[in-house]
């Protein structure tokens, strides 16, 4: 049997936990809720519960969210929050959170803030000391990556590329050397041009996936090289319809160019010991220290 002191401590701990829970439930919170990208079955039970219980749901397009609510049997008040009014909405949102209300933020589809507005609201709520809670679910970028069959341990989400040809090609040239898998969103009417630009900037043989209408009735995954996909997009009208995600393999790892390190070492070795020369060459040229030392040994005739 527990001693009187142990029971007292246990009672105090329970009371403190209950008090903390009551305080948390009374405090306002912003729930960032992922919604389906197509298949309504992907709305999680937790997301449904949060949305149904929210004092207000902040939606990118209230008409689209109202359709989702109608299909899922959810009844909750809606207010529009998009890139043009997001900043102006912040004071009202903070006031409602201050009254202890539970608010939810959704985008038109998928996980909010992934190539969608909303970060100003999230940042303002967090900076004001309110809880910001993730209610995870569908995300088109991650869904496409999961079926691409390309390396997924490291990836770069680029979102939408510039719509203008010159700006898009400039950005792709900057991305061409990235070794992690790259993920893009693209409008259907620009798909063929973007694939052509990708093939030109990344080399035609780079592997890629074009996923369209993910989780929807006409979901399709096109696989091949960038050249093959660009050619198909120009011929297949169906490929240029619906919501599109492009996943591209990263650049192959390049062998280090030791030309600059070699030239620097040839000078340093005239005056310095091998180890010191190698250390300085690594700092000056950005060469890996072990590679610089190996090269210094070769140039000095040591083995």
């Amino acid at each position: 049997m527990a001693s009187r002191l142990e029971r007292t401590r246990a009672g105090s701990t329970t009371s403190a936990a209950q008090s903390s829970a009551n305080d948390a439930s009374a405090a306002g919170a912003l729930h960032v809720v992922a919604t389906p990208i197509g298949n309504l079955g992907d709305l999680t039970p937790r997301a449904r519960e949060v949305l149904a219980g929210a004092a207000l749901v902040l939606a990118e397009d209230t008409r689209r969210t109202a359709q989702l609510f109608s299909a899922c049997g959810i009844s909750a008040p809606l207010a529009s929050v998009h890139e043009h009014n997001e900043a102006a909405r912040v004071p009202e949102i903070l006031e409602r959170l201050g009254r202890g209300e539970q608010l939810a933020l959704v985008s038109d589809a998928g996980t909010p803030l992934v190539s969608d507005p909303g970060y100003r609201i999230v940042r303002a709520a967090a900076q004001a000391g309110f809880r910001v809670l993730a209610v995870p679910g569908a995300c088109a970028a991650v869904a496409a990556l999961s079926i691409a069959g390309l390396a997924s341990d490291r990836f770069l989400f680029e979102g939408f590329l510039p719509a203008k040809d010159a700006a898009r090609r400039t950005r792709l040239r900057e991305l061409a050397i990235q070794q992690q898998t790259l993920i893009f969103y693209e409008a259907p009417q620009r798909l063929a041009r973007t694939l052509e630009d990708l093939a030109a900037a990344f080399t035609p043989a780079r592997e890629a996936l074009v996923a369209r209408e993910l989780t929807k009735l006409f979901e399709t995954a096109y696989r091949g090289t960038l050249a093959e996909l660009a050619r198909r997009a120009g011929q297949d009208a169906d490929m240029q319809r619906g919501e599109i995600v492009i996943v591209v393999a990263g650049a192959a790892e390049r062998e280090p160019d030791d030309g600059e390190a070699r030239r620097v070492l040839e000078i340093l070795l005239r005056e310095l010991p091998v180890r010191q020369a190698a250390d300085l060459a690594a700092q000056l040229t950005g060469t890996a220290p072990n590679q610089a030392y190996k090269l210094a040994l070769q140039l000095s005739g040591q083995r």
Side-chain angles (χ1 to χ4, degrees):
M1 181 179 293
S3 68
R4 180 177 180 182
L5 178 59
E6 289 171 332
R7 290 197 301 272
T8 302
R9 285 175 176 171
S12 298
T13 302
T14 302
S15 298
Q18 291 174 341
S19 176
S20 176
N22 291 336
D23 290 343
S25 63
L30 175 65
H31 303 261
V32 182
V33 183
T35 56
I37 57 176
N39 192 317
L40 295 181
D42 293 334
L43 184 69
T44 68
R46 180 184 171 205
R48 187 186 299 269
E49 181 181 358
V50 168
L51 292 173
L56 182 68
V57 177
L58 309 167
E60 186 179 1
D61 184 334
T62 56
R63 294 168 299 180
R64 292 190 61 169
T65 302
Q67 292 173 353
L68 171 67
F69 281 11
S70 176
C72 296
I74 297 172
S75 178
L78 292 165
S80 65
V81 172
H82 46 73
E83 60 181 336
H84 302 297
N85 73 352
E86 182 180 351
R89 284 282 193 187
V90 167
E92 174 194 352
I93 292 167
L94 295 182
E95 181 184 352
R96 298 189 69 147
L97 290 171
R99 296 201 299 261
E101 293 186 359
Q102 303 297 305
L103 307 184
L105 173 68
V106 300
S107 63
D108 285 348
T111 300
L113 279 71
V114 180
S115 204
D116 288 320
Y119 86 89
R120 294 180 181 85
I121 290 171
V122 168
R123 182 173 61 184
Q127 289 178 342
F130 297 107
R131 293 178 302 158
V132 179
L133 306 173
V135 183
C139 174
V142 175
L145 178 65
S146 72
I147 65 170
L150 299 173
S152 56
D153 55 332
R154 295 171 59 236
F155 61 91
L156 172 64
F157 174 68
E158 185 68 13
F160 284 94
L161 288 162
K164 294 186 177 179
D165 292 345
R168 181 172 62 252
R169 290 164 186 163
T170 296
R171 181 57 183 152
L172 288 176
R173 285 194 295 270
E174 295 170 350
L175 294 170
I177 62 171
Q178 297 294 327
Q179 294 180 5
Q180 63 267 56
T181 298
L182 296 107
I183 306 173
F184 306 93
Y185 288 164
E186 191 51 279
Q189 69 272 15
R190 290 197 299 267
L191 177 63
R193 294 199 306 275
T194 294
L195 288 170
E196 290 172 357
D197 291 342
L198 279 163
F202 288 15
T203 73
R206 190 87 69 93
E207 287 186 86
L209 166 89
V210 173
R212 60 176 291 270
E213 295 292 85
L214 284 168
T215 79
K216 300 176 185 176
L217 180 62
F218 297 105
E219 174 178 333
T220 313
Y222 303 87
R223 306 171 189 274
T225 66
L226 285 170
E228 292 167 346
L229 292 170
R231 183 164 53 251
R232 183 166 184 176
Q235 300 169 349
D236 186 350
D238 286 338
M239 191 173 174
Q240 301 181 52
R241 293 176 181 168
E243 304 289 334
I244 292 172
V245 185
I246 305 171
V247 186
V248 185
E253 186 173 355
R254 297 181 299 176
E255 291 295 325
D257 180 6
D258 62 8
E260 183 180 4
R262 181 180 294 271
R263 288 190 295 273
V264 171
L265 280 168
E266 287 174 346
I267 297 171
L268 294 176
L269 286 169
R270 297 171 189 166
E271 306 292 337
L272 299 172
V274 169
R275 173 58 69 181
Q276 189 176 356
D279 290 344
L280 284 173
Q283 295 177 44
L284 291 170
T285 66
T287 304
N290 61 337
Q291 179 66 20
Y293 182 64
K294 180 179 178 181
L295 184 58
L297 287 175
Q298 294 173 354
L299 291 174
S300 67
Q302 300 180 32
R303 293 292 183 269

